[in-house]
Amino acid sequence: MLVLGIETSCDESGLALYSSEAGGGRLLAHALHSQVCMHADYGGVVPELASRDHVRRIVPLLRQVLAASGRRLEELDAVAYTQGPGLAGALLVGAAFAEALATGLGIPTVPVHHLEGHLLSPLLSHDPPAFPFVALLVSGGHTQLMRVTAVGAYELLGETLDDAAGEAFDKTAKLLGLDYPGGPALAALADRGRPGQVVFPRPMLRSGDLDFSFSGLKTAVLTRVREIGDLDEQRRADIARGFQEAIVEVLASKALRALRRCGLKRLVVAGGVGANRELRRQIDARAARARVSVYYPELEFCTDNGAMIALAGALRLQSGHAAKPAGCFAVRPRWPLTG
């Protein structure tokens, strides 16, 4: 079975071809275009510009993955696409293209939840996790802990009550005068910070549950910036390091707590923030002490991409989840994974 995956939920256009085979499957080709440079002038994603750029990129990217894989459109068995959550206009570009293509080829479509793609993305690696496992999903718009029993079987253990971890990174980066995209820029600045110079509270670290809250941490940074006044480069780096240490400790602590509560020994960390080196270092250290295994997607699959959507679509078909006839469709800008 050959599945085309299409991802257009925000500011990355991603397409990929995944081949399901007896006893496994493999990614044949993938292509990605990031809109970061286009949105940098505005300090964030402009939805209308994002939608228009998806329209420009989607056909060239399709041609690219077909050429790289040596496959033809006529060989496709299904088209998977991100139905939500995300920006409505951006989602509509991918959904409309997928449904039109599938209608023309006479094949079914598989609408995919964006977070399910992230959650399953470590299965693309050479050492994939087995079910069941706990997943820490940390991206720009979501921070959640999930118990994953099988494809499509997800139990929400905890989530953020306000800002997601990625949002907190981006907002704090703006407070420190960093350019868009703020998260990676803040992480790079934190590498130059001095340990222990600036200490921030660890929100909800001892709340007794598996929920998160990061808006207060952003406010603590704002208060500190105002107290110091004129920030030189070293002080900015110290604040960035203190912020990152706080957010990473909370994420790592609650992820390991979720494993203990579920009685499991496998943890998946996925989403854009999952590429953060300090987060990986802390989680790996705690996991080693607890004798549990941690799985990450390859770095190229941490951000939004078509490969994870193609994989999720193929696994849904393999596990008996029905595809739908192409044609009528709708996007879901707000869509809980467990809803």
Side-chain angles (χ1 to χ4, degrees):
M1 179 176 291
L2 185 62
V3 178
L4 172 68
I6 300 175
E7 156 62 28
T8 62
S9 65
C10 189
D11 59 346
E12 271 108 9
S13 306
L15 276 80
L17 283 173
Y18 186 88
S19 176
S20 298
E21 302 164 353
R26 60 194 177 101
L27 181 65
L28 301 182
H30 70 98
L32 182 71
H33 174 77
S34 174
Q35 301 175 2
V36 165
C37 292
M38 181 178 70
H39 296 295
D41 290 339
Y42 304 93
V45 177
V46 181
E48 179 63 23
L49 294 181
S51 301
R52 292 179 181 182
D53 199 63
H54 289 310
V55 173
R56 286 193 292 267
R57 306 293 177 178
I58 198 165
V59 171
L61 289 173
L62 174 60
R63 290 173 176 157
Q64 184 177 336
V65 296
L66 289 172
S69 65
R71 299 300 184 94
R72 297 175 294 110
L73 276 179
E74 293 75 17
E75 296 179 68
L76 291 178
D77 294 297
V79 181
Y81 64 90
T82 303
Q83 187 180 29
L87 301 175
L91 290 167
L92 277 169
V93 174
F97 183 81
E99 295 286 349
L101 180 62
T103 298
L105 295 173
I107 58 177
T109 59
V110 187
V112 172
H113 194 293
H114 178 77
L115 292 184
E116 182 176 44
H118 277 303
L119 186 152
L120 298 174
S121 59
L123 298 177
L124 289 166
S125 66
H126 298 298
D127 180 28
F131 297 109
F133 55 79
V134 167
L136 172 64
L137 296 176
V138 275
S139 66
H142 302 87
T143 299
Q144 297 178 329
L145 281 164
M146 294 275 181
R147 178 188 171 99
V148 181
T149 307
V151 175
Y154 313 126
E155 176 190 355
L156 180 65
L157 303 174
E159 62 183 338
T160 184
L161 305 179
D162 39 59
D163 286 352
E167 289 175 309
F169 266 96
D170 289 339
K171 291 177 179 178
T172 300
K174 283 189 177 182
L175 293 176
L176 295 177
L178 301 176
D179 293 332
Y180 174 86
L186 187 145
L189 181 62
D191 287 343
R192 303 195 294 274
R194 297 169 295 183
Q197 290 297 308
V198 178
V199 179
F200 290 111
R202 274 53 173 164
M204 296 188 70
L205 182 61
R206 294 177 175 82
S207 62
D209 55 33
L210 296 174
D211 288 328
F212 304 91
S213 172
F214 297 116
S215 64
L217 185 56
K218 174 202 64 181
T219 303
V221 173
L222 176 60
T223 301
R224 184 61 61 88
V225 168
R226 287 174 174 172
E227 288 174 351
I228 296 174
D230 188 23
L231 293 177
D232 60 23
E233 188 66 14
Q234 186 58 63
R235 292 300 286 173
R236 290 169 69 244
D238 292 342
I239 290 173
R241 179 165 186 145
F243 167 82
Q244 180 173 264
E245 287 175 346
I247 209 166
V248 162
E249 183 177 350
V250 173
L251 291 172
S253 297
K254 294 218 168 187
L256 271 293
R257 187 182 304 166
L259 283 174
R260 293 193 296 271
R261 290 193 180 183
C262 293
L264 298 177
K265 292 290 186 178
R266 288 182 290 271
L267 174 67
V268 159
V269 181
V273 181
N276 183 279
R277 289 183 298 175
E278 180 61 19
L279 177 62
R280 290 192 176 203
R281 187 192 68 78
Q282 271 217 36
I283 286 181
D284 287 344
R286 290 168 182 257
R289 292 194 295 269
R291 297 184 179 180
V292 300
S293 300
V294 186
Y295 301 85
Y296 306 95
E298 305 296 333
L299 286 176
E300 62 183 325
F301 300 134
C302 284
T303 57
D304 300 344
N305 62 88
M308 69 182 190
I309 303 303
L311 170 69
L315 292 180
R316 278 196 157 268
L317 293 173
Q318 281 183 321
S319 58
H321 294 268
K324 75 174 195 65
C328 183
F329 67 95
V331 296
R332 305 179 70 175
R334 294 184 179 274
W335 184 13
L337 180 55
T338 54

